[in-house]
């Protein structure tokens, strides 16, 4: 259990640190943005409190120093400087290392000392500080009792040194917190969460003790307590939820807003109705008896005495915060919090595998229904197919993530590289909301890193060179994502010098890749940078020059069944265009037959199907040309390409497909029809077979190979180039 809780902490902390990096880079561009400053402070505060709660004292102690620095900034005492951003980014990396198990006391001590030196002038009063607001008197703490059991009601007011000095409107919230009975076993301390809530503003805390058993029955490791907290604060509902971010799933948290405007009355009956302890009908019945409502509700066992005292405490809190000088209503729109749970990616993978098995099972069911020609069975098969398609779509949607989840991490990469290379470069992202399968996103990380590094190093010129060319001294690298049917286009674009075609060509001659004077197209020259060991860098650096990187990009993108192409404009810049399939799990395909073998063509690549009528009859060639709707198209005869010797049918068909920038025909014996295709990886025997990308299991249990349209297109292009 403790290991599971720690795993949740590590996952959440890593996500917080990733978002922290984005906030810091944004803060560098907008150093006076109070919302970003507050966001950075909250992240450090959350990591500090949670790491201390789970026993990671070294992380908690170190993070406290960073939090203190941003508390000074948040209060308006210290400014955001490049030195502060740099130190905080280094601290973020250090905390990440500590989460990974690398504890360096020397690094912690060095960074803490640098923070202290940076903040000392502001703490000593050499910089102007914001005037502290007078704190409220916290002595008037209400107390209530409940039938022999005291229910402490704690009234707290956040001190002016901790309060954020801005004009944010205040809102009042009711937080009901019922910890899991086993919460103490995993090291969580609920009292620290309550303490953190009280530090966020004016808070009234009600402790529920009714579940505490007699002393002889008490288990020391069991939590019997629950809390209600009435909180008036300028923090958002999300900030309140963040206090409980590392809480186990069996604990119950409920956060409701309370309207404390002047026109709103806060009688006990109304409060109990809002809490859903009683109905309007019950209230009217009780009021008709002309006795104190609280007394009657308790006497009739409609509510407990603890519920009554909690409502009384809320009423007292609202009266306090509704005084004339504090009666301004909150303008913050109240929204219903979206419910979400954290699910392991392994469980999602298992779900997709099970959906894939269902798809295969339904295909078998449909096949048997057709063979039996049973109307009832056919109807059940069709209904099952609709349900499985809906389940498949939902399962696939659960795996889809916005590509912006990896876009944000590249801002730090460009920031650090441009600083190391003394260049001024801005990273611009577009289409971050474009969604891709999480497996595809994970495999895109390394190729994109290589390509962005290439743009920063080779593409963007130095500041002096750009000024001499009349360009903006600041270079730009754009990262663009957009949908294109069943694919996503990812474009890495820079406004640098463009690829040096002559230099690449000369390097290819030196390496013996082409003969001097050979006629090579511009596109072929540009694609040479993807060859293993090919580099045009004049010297080896920490960024490039060893001839590795771009060949890895080509290999990784090909492994994703994608393609990469280049568009270069001399003196203006270069675009690298990646075309990636949305998912690697389940696709819609077209089933075709060649001899006794069955193949699947991805439906997203298909334009049309038509009768195969070659210009000069069957010449036995692998590749040739046909005329399709007035267009002269190349085709590849799959029977010849895969060397299938089964008897030739009396007629054949051609499936017109498109790759990234052209169309071609795939000649088959017969088009069978649509098929939901669960993609399975190829075994060692077929993994190097050109023209295949995977396999699938059909309804009858046989295996069909999935055709790779892009690789088959390359076969046609190579054949045409040699003719």
């Amino acid at each position: 259990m403790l290991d599971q809780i720690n795993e949740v902490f590590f996952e959440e902390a890593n996500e917080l640190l990733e978002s922290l990096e984005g906030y810091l880079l944004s803060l560098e561009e907008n150093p006076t943005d109070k919302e970003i400053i507050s966001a950075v402070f909250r992240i450090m505060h959350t990591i500090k409190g949670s790491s201390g709660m789970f026993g990671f004292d070294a992380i908690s102690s170190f993070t406290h120093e960073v939090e203190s620095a941003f508390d000074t900034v948040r209060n308006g005492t210290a400014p955001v400087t490049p030195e502060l951003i740099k130190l905080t980014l280094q601290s973020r990396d250090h905390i990440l290392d500590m989460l990974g198990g690398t504890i360096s006391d020397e690094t912690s001590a060095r960074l803490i000392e640098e923070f202290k030196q940076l903040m000392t002038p502001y703490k000593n009063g050499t910089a102007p500080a914001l005037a502290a607001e007078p704190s409220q008197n916290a002595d008037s703490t209400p107390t209530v009792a409940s039938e022999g059991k005291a229910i402490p009601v704690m009234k707290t007011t956040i001190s002016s040194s901790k309060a954020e000095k801005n004009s944010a409107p205040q809102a009042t919230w009711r937080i009901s917190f019922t910890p899991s009975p086993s919460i103490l076993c995993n090291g969580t301390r609920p009292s620290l969460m309550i303490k953190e809530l009280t530090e966020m503003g004016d808070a009234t805390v009600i402790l529920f003790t009714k579940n505490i058993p007699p002393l002889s029955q008490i288990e020391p490791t069991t939590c019997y307590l629950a809390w209600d907290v009435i909180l008036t604060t300028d923090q958002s509902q999300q900030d309140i939820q963040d206090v409980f971010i590392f809480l186990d799933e069996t604990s119950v948290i409920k956060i409701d807003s309370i309207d404390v405007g002047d026109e709103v009355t806060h009688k006990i009956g109304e409060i109990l109705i809002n809490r859903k302890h009683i109905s309007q009908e019950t209230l009217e019945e009780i009021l008709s008896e002309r006795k104190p409502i609280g007394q009657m509700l308790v006497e009739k066992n409609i509510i407990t005495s603890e519920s009554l005292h909690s409502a009384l405490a809320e009423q007292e809190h609202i009266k306090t915060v509704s005084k004339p000088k504090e009666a301004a209503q909150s303008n913050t729109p109240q929204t219903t919090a979206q419910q979400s749970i954290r699910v392991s990616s392994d469980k999602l993978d298992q779900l997709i595998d099970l959906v894939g098995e269902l798809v295969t099972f339904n295909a078998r069911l449909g096949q048997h229904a057709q063979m039996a020609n049973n109307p009832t069975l056919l109807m059940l098969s069709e209904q099952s197919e609709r349900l499985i398609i809906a389940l498949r779509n939902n399962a696939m949607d659960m795996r889809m993530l916005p590509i912006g989840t990896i876009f944000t991490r590249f801002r730090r990469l460009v920031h650090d590289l441009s600083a190391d290379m003394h260049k001024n470069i801005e990273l611009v992202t577009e289409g971050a909301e474009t969604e891709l399968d999480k497996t595809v996103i994970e495999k895109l990380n390394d190729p994109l890193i290589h390509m962005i590094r290439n743009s920063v190093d080779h593409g963007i010129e130095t500041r002096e060179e750009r000024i001499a060319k009349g360009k903006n001294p600041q270079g730009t690298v754009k990262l663009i994502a957009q949908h294109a049917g069943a694919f996503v286009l990812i474009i890495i674009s820079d406004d640098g010098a463009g690829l040096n075609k002559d230099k690449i060509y000369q390097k290819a001659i030196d390496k013996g890749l082409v003969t001097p004077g050979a006629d090579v197209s511009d596109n072929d020259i540009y694609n040479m940078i993807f060859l293993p060991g090919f580099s045009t860098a004049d010297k080896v650096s920490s960024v490039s020059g060893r001839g590795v990187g771009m060949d890895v990009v080509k290999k990784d993108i090909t492994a994703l069944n994608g393609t990469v192409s280049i568009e270069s404009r001399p003196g203006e810049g270069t675009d690298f265009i990646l075309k990636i399939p949305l998912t690697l799990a389940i696709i819609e395909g077209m089933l075709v037959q060649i001899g006794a073998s069955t193949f699947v063509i991805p439906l997203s690549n298909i334009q049309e199907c038509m009768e195969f009528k070659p210009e000069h009859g069957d010449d036995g060639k692998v590749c040739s040309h046909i005329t399709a709707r007035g267009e002269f198209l190349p085709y590849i005869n799959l029977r010849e390409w895969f060397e299938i010797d089964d008897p030739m049918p009396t007629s054949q068909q051609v499936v017109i497909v498109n790759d990234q920038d052209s169309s071609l025909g795939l000649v088959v014996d017969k088009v069978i029809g649509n098929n939901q295709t669960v993609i399975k990886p190829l075994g060692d025997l077929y993994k190097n077979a050109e023209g295949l990308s995977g396999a699938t299991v059909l309804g009858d249990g046989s295996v069909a190979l999935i055709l790779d349209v892009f690789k088959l297109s390359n076969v046609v292009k190579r054949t045409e180039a040699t003719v």
Side-chain angles (χ1 to χ4, degrees), residues 599-642:
F599 298 86
V600 175
I601 304 174
L603 200 59
S604 59
N605 293 113
I606 297 177
Q607 290 181 334
E608 62 177 323
C609 303
M610 55 193 302
E611 290 295 321
F612 177 55
K613 297 178 180 179
E615 295 291 323
H616 306 290
D618 183 13
D619 54 10
K621 293 182 180 179
V622 172
C623 299
S624 188
H625 290 81
I626 57 171
T627 301
R629 300 190 185 280
E631 186 178 1
F632 197 56
L633 293 178
Y635 73 80
I636 179 169
N637 191 325
L638 296 180
R639 173 181 282 270
E640 299 295 334
W641 173 250
F642 291 119

Side-chain angles (χ1 to χ4, degrees), residues 269-270 272-274 276-289 293 296-297 300 302:
E270 293 172 346
L272 291 172
I273 290 175
N274 289 336
K276 295 182 173 57
H277 291 328
I278 63 173
S279 65
Q280 182 67 38
E281 292 77 12
T282 302
L283 175 62
E284 292 174 356
E285 179 184 345
I286 294 297
L287 290 175
S288 67
E289 299 189 22
I293 181 175
M296 292 300 301
L297 289 171
K300 290 179 176 291
I302 296 175

